[in-house]
Amino acid sequence: MASNISSNSQLGYSSGSLTRAPSSPRTMFNTIMTVVAFICAVMAIIPLVAVLGYVIFQGFSSLNISIFTELPPPPLRKGGGFGNAILGTILMVGIAAAISIPIGVMAAIYLTEFSSGRTARTIRFATNVLSGVPSIIAGVFAYGILVLTFNKLGLGSYSALAGGAALSILMLPIILRTTDEALQLVSQDLRQAAVGIGATKFQTVSQVVLPAALPAIVTGSTLAIARASGETAPLIFTALFSPFWPDGLFKPTASLAVLVYNYAISPFKNWQSLAWAASLILVLLVLLTSIITRWATRQKA
C-alpha cells in the first residue's frame, strides 16, 4: 500500500484520487502548452481581423448603389462604379470553374479508383508541383499559348476566355488534391457493400463514393474559386482590363482584382476610393460563395 501511494505521488496523482494534482509536472506542462497554443491562435487571427476590419471600414465609406450599375469614371470625375469588373470577374471565374472542376474531379476519381500505385504517385507529385507554381507563371503560360494564338487567328488577343483558362490552371491542382483526399477518406466498407449487392464499378463510384465525398469536393471547389477570384497577375497577362461592359469572350475584360491593382496605385482620390470598394466587394463575393456552398452541401446531406 505504501509503495502504491509513493508511486502515485511520483506520477502527480493525489492520494485516493485518479486526478492529477494541480502542481504535478504533467499538469503544469499541459496548462502551459494550452496557453501557448491559445496565444498562437490569437496571433494568427489578429492579422486576419485587422485586414478584414480595415477593408470593411475603408470599403463601406466608399460604397453606394452606383458602384454596381456604372462604369469606371475618368480620373478627375467623382462618382462612377465598376459594374463591368464585377461581371467580368464572375464571367472569368465561371469559365475557370467550368474547365477545372470537371477535369479535377474526373482526374481524382481516376487516381483513387482506377489507377495503379506508380501512376497515382506520379500524378499526385505533379499536382503538388503545379500547386506551388507562382500565379504569374500561369499567366505567362496562358499568354504564350492562348493570347498569341488568338492574335494569329484573328480572334483578338487579350480576352475573357484566356483569363478564365489561366485561372483554371491555378484552380485545377486545388480541386484535384481535395477531391482525391475526400475520395480516399470514404470507407472501403461502403465500396465492398456496393459490390456485394451486385453494383458495377461505375455504379459504386457514381452512386456511393461520390455522394459520400460530395461535401468535401464542394468545399475544395469553393476554396479554388476563392483563390481564383483574387488573382491579379494571370489576368494582367491574359484579360488585361477594359473600361467597358463585357461584350464577348474574345475581348479584353475588366476584373475586380486588376481594377484594385490599377486604381490603388493611382494618384487620384476617386479611383483610390473605388479600389477600396472593389476590395470589399471581392471579399463579400468570396464570403457569399462560401455561404451558398455550405447551405447547398447541408441541404444535400
Side-chain angles (χ1 to χ4, degrees):
M1 179 66 69
S3 62
N4 291 337
I5 294 175
S6 177
S7 61
N8 286 339
S9 61
Q10 291 176 357
L11 292 175
Y13 293 100
S14 59
S15 179
S17 175
L18 294 178
T19 59
R20 291 194 181 98
S23 59
S24 69
R26 291 187 179 183
T27 303
M28 294 179 63
F29 179 78
N30 179 69
T31 303
I32 293 173
M33 293 308 299
T34 301
V35 172
V36 171
F38 177 78
I39 294 174
C40 291
V42 172
M43 293 179 63
I45 293 174
I46 287 176
L48 173 64
V49 174
V51 171
L52 290 180
Y54 195 70
V55 169
I56 291 173
F57 175 77
Q58 294 286 349
F60 267 116
S61 63
S62 306
L63 205 60
N64 55 71
I65 191 64
S66 64
I67 281 177
F68 303 93
T69 59
E70 297 183 8
L71 294 173
L76 299 179
R77 185 170 69 86
K78 295 184 178 181
F82 45 80
N84 60 331
I86 297 176
L87 288 181
T89 299
I90 296 174
L91 174 63
M92 287 185 283
V93 172
I95 293 173
I99 296 173
S100 60
I101 291 178
I103 295 176
V105 172
M106 295 299 292
I109 291 174
Y110 170 75
L111 288 179
T112 307
E113 306 294 333
F114 299 100
S115 68
S116 61
R118 177 176 297 181
T119 302
R121 285 193 298 269
T122 303
I123 296 177
R124 289 188 178 109
F125 175 77
T127 302
N128 292 333
V129 173
L130 181 61
S131 64
V133 172
S135 60
I136 193 171
I137 302 301
V140 173
F141 173 79
Y143 174 83
I145 298 298
L146 295 176
V147 175
L148 297 182
T149 301
F150 290 162
N151 191 21
K152 292 179 180 179
L153 295 176
L155 298 175
S157 54
Y158 301 98
S159 63
L161 185 60
L167 295 180
S168 69
I169 297 174
L170 302 176
M171 292 174 60
L172 183 60
I174 300 175
I175 296 172
L176 199 157
R177 291 177 62 187
T178 54
T179 304
D180 182 28
E181 294 175 0
L183 294 176
Q184 291 184 55
L185 292 176
V186 176
S187 174
Q188 290 294 333
D189 295 338
L190 291 177
R191 296 178 174 86
Q192 294 172 2
V195 174
I197 61 175
T200 63
K201 187 70 171 179
F202 176 79
Q203 291 173 329
T204 301
V205 172
S206 61
Q207 300 180 22
V208 177
V209 178
L210 277 180
L214 183 61
I217 295 174
V218 175
T219 301
S221 300
T222 304
L223 292 174
I225 290 174
R227 182 192 175 183
S229 300
E231 288 294 343
T232 305
L235 299 183
I236 293 177
F237 280 93
T238 53
L240 203 59
F241 191 77
S242 172
F244 308 107
W245 295 100
D247 59 349
L249 296 179
F250 294 95
K251 293 184 179 180
T253 305
S255 63
L256 287 172
V258 177
L259 183 139
V260 171
Y261 171 76
N262 290 336
Y263 285 11
I265 61 176
S266 70
F268 308 109
K269 294 294 183 181
N270 60 328
W271 278 12
Q272 292 176 5
S273 64
L274 286 178
W276 283 115
S279 302
L280 177 61
I281 296 301
L282 192 57
V283 172
L284 293 180
L285 282 177
V286 174
L287 178 62
L288 180 63
T289 302
S290 301
I291 293 174
I292 293 175
T293 301
R294 289 292 184 182
W295 178 83
T297 53
R298 181 178 299 178
Q299 293 296 108
K300 183 68 178 179

